Amino acid sequence: MKTLQIRVSGRVQGVGFRPFVYRLARDLNLAGQVSNTRGGVSIHLQGALPALEDFKHRLLMQAPIQARISACQEEWLDTSAYQAFTIAPSLNSQETLSLQVPLDTRPCPACLEEMFNPRDRRWRYAFINCTQCGPRYTLMRQRPYDRPHTSMQAFEQCPACLDEYQNPADRRFHAQPNACAQCGPRLWCSTADGEPLSGDPLERAVAGLQAGKILAIRGMGGFHLMCAADDPAAIAQLRHRKCRPHKPLAIMALNGASLEPWVQLSREDRALLESAAAPLLIVPYKEGAASQLMVEALAPGLKDLGVLLPSTPLHWLLFHTLLGQPKGSGWLQHPLSIAWVATSANRSGQPLITDNHQALEQLADIADLWLLHDREMITGCDDSVFQASRSPRALVRPGRGLAPVHLTLSEASPVRVLALGAYLKTSVCLLGEDQACLSQYVGDLDQATTCRRLRATAEHLCQLLDFQPEVICSDLHPDVYSSRLAEELARQWQLPWLQVQHHHAHVAAVMAEFGLQERVLGLVLDGQGLGEEGQARGGELLEVNPLGFIRLGELAPLLLPGGDQAAREPWRLAAGVLHQLGLKASAAFDPGDQPGHALLQKLLARPHLCRPTTSAGRLFDAAAGLLGVCSHQSHEAQAAMQLEALVRGLPTLAERLWTLKDGQLSFWPLLSAVSTLTDPREGAEVFHAGLVGGLEAWLERASEDTGLRKVVLSGGCFLNGVLRQALLARLQARGLEVYFPQRVSVNDTGLALGQAWVASMARKADESQFLERLSYVPGRTGPN
């Protein structure tokens, strides 16, 4: 008789791991116990040696589908005190650091089967779940993942649910959110006063949608605003009330087959849509389809459409109610012509709405009906979003089902780091030992509410993971809230504070994801980030190693007449380009027609009053302005998205439309050529072809000069699918090894990981050098 202790770390809480271990041990006639710990799961086994060896093999090979085992530590013990196998109370001890968090997932097939079975006691129950599906992260207050540590603590299980919870043979054995209509959360439909309306809440909600109403629906990690996707008046009303005239709206369909008339889906796209994470995918719509007019209402001027499938039981129940409550689950696979618009319910620039009071107050002038429930959300977590119209797919926003993103690093860090991101699309990262945990998307820090959400996210993750940082990291920019929060926490906790250059962090995030320790070429194309000398930078080519970087070059600057207003009004950038080219108008656009043109010309006559920018994002805006594609932007990247939508293919250019001198890449010849074209589509294709060609030449020259063959691509401009696909193909054809982020966002949401990784590498290399790099060290009077 032998006794073995196994400590398992990874994603092993909230995925049915303890019930799996229990059944496996009982099958093999092993005694002992299993329990959650702060670091994972602890297993004690007692029995014959062959059975113990079989257990270890099957533990790895047959683990639950949502489990991710990152490490197993074994220790043979002398004790033999067990008579049977049991699930023991969770332990508060943490043998090893674990930065894994159970993730929220869509309902599994077994739960859907029960929910649509009229003979089942959970018939049409909106909060059905089991050990393989349902809410996790958004319900958790702390670890271990046990019911008392979640918002489900407020609901005492009825005898039938408790019997399931305690029965090892049941699918809901130790399913922490377990509940039913007798004992669990309840659902109601209301108007703005919050009082429940009479009748079935789902029927009231669906009737409202069919009547052209706008519905605010409380989901798993936040609220959606919904209306009928085939109702132009309802869509127009939603746009008007939400002040969202042009920004694309996504649609929710019943299943992949229902999306066939709308969009082009690859097999991989459909598999991702139907995965446990149920993300939102941005994919090409079908031109000439019957839905063409609706697509134009949903995504004006674009060629891609955001689509998603139901992610909670509540979403499926809306479709079920619409179809007259059919019995059984066969209808789930049938195509349905009706779809709903589904967009995040937060106001522009505000963080995700998570509770009923917020929704009733903040959406009072937007929604007509509210579909609410009383299961508290501890943490908000929006839809995950992928840009999938071109290969490789790009992660736009990590959210439900993906975040917090857990990464295993190639080398262990000697220091535990808390990183707080930058200004736009910020997130939080915890890094320690050989792991990193990157939070869900938090948002732009231009609103006080989002700033508070950043602080709350950092505090919640540190508490949830029992993480005590030893270094605080942020962006170089001194005036953004994430930097001020980093300085405040560093002083409060008496910790070092390290600031990392924006584009260095972009490249470092990708290096951390792929475990790159050697020197690489890093091309970063985005809106802007603060350089180490305090200047704004937006398109840079760097040589990066784990300890620092060398700037090899940057894009030739454009003028920003009117400063930040030029970023919102591309016609200003076009006017600046025309002024520098000595032209009054382009072939497709005359800035003289714009209000404020006379004043702008006076400003351009004194160019020292116009701030220069190397921003790659503004380069797209300038081209869109010159071609008359977009003169004013009502949402971020509108001009670039509309410009990309015109591209059908990239022409072969007869001449080089760029210059390269002393590391600086200039696209003035390209802008000059674009200014002569009258057809916006031809201009968009020439612009993208010239851009890809110039970037390819830039990287090829840098590779020859440095001898480096590994290239990292990052920055929000790579959400442009034409650029992403074409440049990767060109570089790979030249034999370069290209790294593009897959599990981390290519935009600023991934910056916190890069910041944390830079800090860990610097500390590992040299303690004294690390301290010299810090902006703040305890005992000093302030930042260097």
Side-chain angles (χ1 to χ4, degrees):
M1 192 74 71
K2 298 286 187 179
T3 302
L4 174 66
Q5 180 181 12
I6 302 177
R7 297 185 182 94
V8 186
S9 58
R11 191 191 303 163
V12 290
Q13 294 188 18
V15 294
F17 198 83
R18 288 179 300 167
F20 157 70
V21 168
Y22 177 93
R23 287 189 286 269
L24 180 57
R26 294 289 291 266
D27 288 347
L28 295 172
N29 295 315
L30 295 171
Q33 67 178 32
V34 59
S35 60
N36 279 341
T37 69
R38 288 185 180 273
V41 169
S42 175
I43 307 169
H44 284 76
L45 298 164
Q46 182 180 302
L49 183 59
L52 292 172
E53 294 294 340
D54 194 11
F55 179 94
K56 290 192 294 181
H57 173 74
R58 291 170 64 179
L59 180 74
L60 298 176
M61 300 303 296
Q62 300 174 8
I65 191 169
Q66 299 300 332
R68 298 290 184 272
I69 297 175
S70 58
C72 281
Q73 296 178 321
E74 300 177 13
E75 182 180 357
W76 294 96
L77 305 176
D78 296 330
T79 58
S80 57
Y82 302 105
Q83 303 301 317
F85 197 89
T86 61
I87 293 183
S90 297
L91 304 174
N92 286 325
S93 62
Q94 182 170 338
E95 299 87 354
T96 59
L97 176 70
S98 173
L99 299 184
Q100 287 267 17
V101 178
L103 303 178
D104 304 308
T105 63
R106 73 188 307 197
C108 67
C111 281
L112 289 176
E113 189 76 31
E114 288 179 347
M115 188 167 67
F116 299 120
N117 179 359
R119 294 184 297 275
D120 193 279
R121 71 188 191 92
R122 289 189 175 85
W123 158 251
R124 287 176 57 82
Y125 182 54
F127 306 96
I128 193 169
N129 67 87
C130 70
T131 55
Q132 295 303 301
C133 67
R136 300 291 191 266
Y137 173 57
T138 52
L139 300 184
M140 291 178 65
R141 289 191 174 92
Q142 65 184 73
R143 291 191 309 183
Y145 175 63
D146 290 328
R147 193 178 182 101
H149 297 157
T150 73
S151 60
M152 289 300 294
Q153 181 188 24
F155 302 95
E156 184 177 351
Q157 296 182 81
C158 67
C161 286
L162 190 59
D163 181 65
E164 293 170 332
Y165 185 83
Q166 295 175 340
N167 181 1
D170 196 280
R171 199 172 86 255
R172 295 186 172 87
F173 183 43
H174 280 259
Q176 306 307 332
N178 191 37
C180 71
Q182 298 301 314
C183 62
R186 65 186 184 95
L187 184 69
W188 68 93
C189 188
S190 81
T191 53
D193 61 9
E195 291 299 316
L197 298 172
S198 60
D200 185 320
L202 289 160
E203 291 180 356
R204 294 297 296 259
V206 169
L209 287 170
Q210 291 179 297
K213 303 291 186 182
I214 297 171
L215 175 69
I217 175 173
R218 190 181 196 188
M220 191 182 296
F223 279 76
H224 278 127
L225 287 170
M226 302 181 76
C227 69
D230 60 351
D231 187 338
I235 295 172
Q237 187 71 272
L238 176 59
R239 287 194 176 280
H240 172 70
R241 293 181 184 179
K242 209 181 177 195
C243 300
R244 189 173 175 169
H246 305 109
K247 191 173 182 179
L249 298 167
I251 62 167
M252 177 182 290
L254 174 62
N255 48 40
S258 302
L259 288 170
E260 289 298 327
W262 293 82
V263 293
Q264 303 171 36
L265 287 177
S266 68
R267 182 182 303 174
E268 293 76 15
D269 292 337
R270 187 159 172 170
L272 185 55
L273 280 171
E274 295 171 349
S275 69
L280 187 156
L281 295 193
I282 302 170
V283 290
Y285 65 73
K286 288 186 175 177
E287 295 190 46
S291 57
Q292 185 71 32
L293 291 177
M294 293 315 306
V295 170
E296 184 59 30
L298 294 165
L302 304 182
K303 63 178 180 180
D304 297 333
L305 182 65
V307 297
L308 69 163
L309 301 182
S311 58
T312 72
L314 194 50
H315 295 135
W316 262 289
L317 285 168
L318 289 175
F319 288 109
H320 188 244
T321 302
L322 175 71
L323 293 172
Q325 303 183 18
K327 298 178 181 179
S329 57
W331 62 278
L332 290 170
Q333 303 307 319
H334 297 162
L336 180 65
S337 61
I338 296 176
W340 314 118
V341 170
T343 185
S344 297
N346 53 299
R347 287 184 173 276
S348 179
Q350 296 291 331
L352 199 63
I353 296 173
T354 57
D355 67 51
N356 294 338
H357 177 73
Q358 280 182 321
L360 290 166
E361 183 180 77
Q362 296 183 27
L363 304 177
D365 57 349
I366 299 178
D368 300 304
L369 292 171
W370 284 254
L371 191 56
L372 305 173
H373 62 74
D374 57 355
R375 185 178 67 194
E376 183 186 358
M377 298 177 199
I378 304 302
T379 302
C381 199
D382 210 340
D383 302 313
S384 294
V385 180
F386 286 91
Q387 213 285 354
S389 61
R390 302 271 180 163
S391 180
R393 184 186 294 130
L395 177 60
V396 179
R397 182 175 74 200
R400 184 200 60 255
L402 298 179
V405 179
H406 179 270
L407 294 154
T408 300
L409 306 176
S410 60
E411 292 192 22
S413 170
V415 64
R416 294 187 178 188
V417 186
L418 167 63
L420 298 173
Y423 174 59
L424 299 177
K425 304 174 183 62
T426 194
S427 65
V428 172
C429 183
L430 311 184
L431 186 150
E433 297 181 8
D434 63 344
Q435 302 169 70
C437 173
L438 188 64
S439 80
Q440 71 275 25
Y441 166 92
V442 174
D444 299 345
L445 300 180
D446 55 356
Q447 300 285 336
T449 48
T450 315
C451 294
R452 289 194 291 269
R453 180 62 60 86
L454 177 68
R455 177 190 286 267
T457 301
E459 291 174 347
H460 177 63
L461 270 181
C462 286
Q463 176 187 342
L464 185 65
L465 298 172
D466 195 25
F467 186 87
Q468 297 179 336
E470 298 166 313
V471 175
I472 310 293
C473 275
S474 70
D475 191 71
L476 269 181
H477 203 301
D479 296 326
V480 300
Y481 177 76
S482 54
S483 295
R484 297 198 299 271
L485 176 61
E487 182 179 12
E488 177 189 337
L489 294 178
R491 292 184 184 279
Q492 178 182 334
W493 297 340
Q494 285 293 288
L495 297 177
W497 168 34
L498 178 65
Q499 293 177 277
V500 181
Q501 198 261 10
H502 193 88
H503 291 157
H504 183 196
H506 261 299
V507 179
V510 185
M511 294 176 73
E513 179 181 346
F514 289 98
L516 302 176
Q517 297 288 330
E518 65 271 52
R519 295 184 303 147
V520 301
L521 294 175
L523 174 63
V524 184
L525 303 177
D526 63 2
Q528 74 169 40
L530 198 69
E532 63 279 11
E533 292 89 21
Q535 69 282 63
R537 298 186 178 277
E540 289 193 288
L541 182 57
L542 309 175
E543 178 186 316
V544 183
N545 65 63
L547 294 180
F549 68 93
I550 300 170
R551 179 172 295 102
L552 301 179
E554 62 185 342
L555 297 179
L558 302 176
L559 293 180
L560 272 177
D564 290 342
Q565 191 171 354
R568 297 186 292 272
E569 300 180 4
W571 76 268
R572 292 174 174 269
L573 282 156
V577 168
L578 292 169
H579 177 81
Q580 290 181 270
L581 291 174
L583 301 172
K584 291 185 177 181
S586 68
F589 173 72
D590 184 354
D593 297 334
Q594 295 293 324
H597 175 258
L599 183 61
L600 191 70
Q601 287 302 309
K602 293 179 180 179
L603 188 64
L604 288 170
R606 295 188 289 176
H608 63 282
L609 297 178
C610 298
R611 191 173 79 229
T613 178
T614 60
S615 168
R618 302 296 77 78
L619 191 63
F620 282 91
D621 294 344
L626 289 170
L627 292 167
V629 172
C630 181
S631 60
H632 294 75
Q633 301 193 87
S634 64
H635 65 87
E636 183 187 16
Q638 178 183 352
M641 292 164 67
Q642 291 181 348
L643 193 68
E644 180 191 0
L646 295 171
V647 177
R648 294 296 178 268
L650 295 186
T652 300
L653 300 177
E655 57 181 325
R656 288 192 171 192
L657 297 180
W658 64 87
T659 60
L660 183 55
K661 183 178 180 181
D662 297 330
Q664 186 183 76
L665 177 63
S666 172
F667 284 111
W668 280 102
L670 176 61
L671 294 173
S672 178
V674 166
S675 72
T676 66
L677 301 175
T678 57
D679 180 5
R681 174 164 293 174
E682 180 187 5
E685 291 176 347
V686 167
F687 173 77
H688 281 82
L691 179 66
V692 171
L695 295 173
E696 177 190 6
W698 203 18
L699 283 162
E700 182 186 15
R701 175 78 61 82
S703 177
E704 292 173 352
D705 291 345
T706 62
L708 300 177
R709 305 296 292 170
K710 293 187 176 182
V711 176
V712 166
L713 304 179
S714 190
C717 290
F718 282 106
L719 292 176
N720 180 303
V722 173
L723 168 63
R724 183 172 73 245
Q725 184 177 53
L727 184 59
L728 257 74
R730 297 271 192 92
L731 297 177
Q732 289 170 343
R734 292 189 175 277
L736 296 175
E737 194 173 338
V738 185
Y739 294 87
F740 184 81
Q742 295 297 296
R743 299 191 60 210
V744 177
S745 295
V746 70
N747 58 31
D748 284 6
T749 309
L751 277 180
L753 171 63
Q755 294 167 352
W757 189 76
V758 168
S760 69
M761 292 297 100
R763 181 63 169 267
K764 186 174 182 178
D766 188 322
E767 175 79 13
S768 61
Q769 184 185 55
F770 174 78
L771 291 175
E772 287 174 1
R773 291 170 177 267
L774 299 178
S775 292
Y776 167 73
V777 177
R780 293 183 185 170
T781 58
N784 289 342

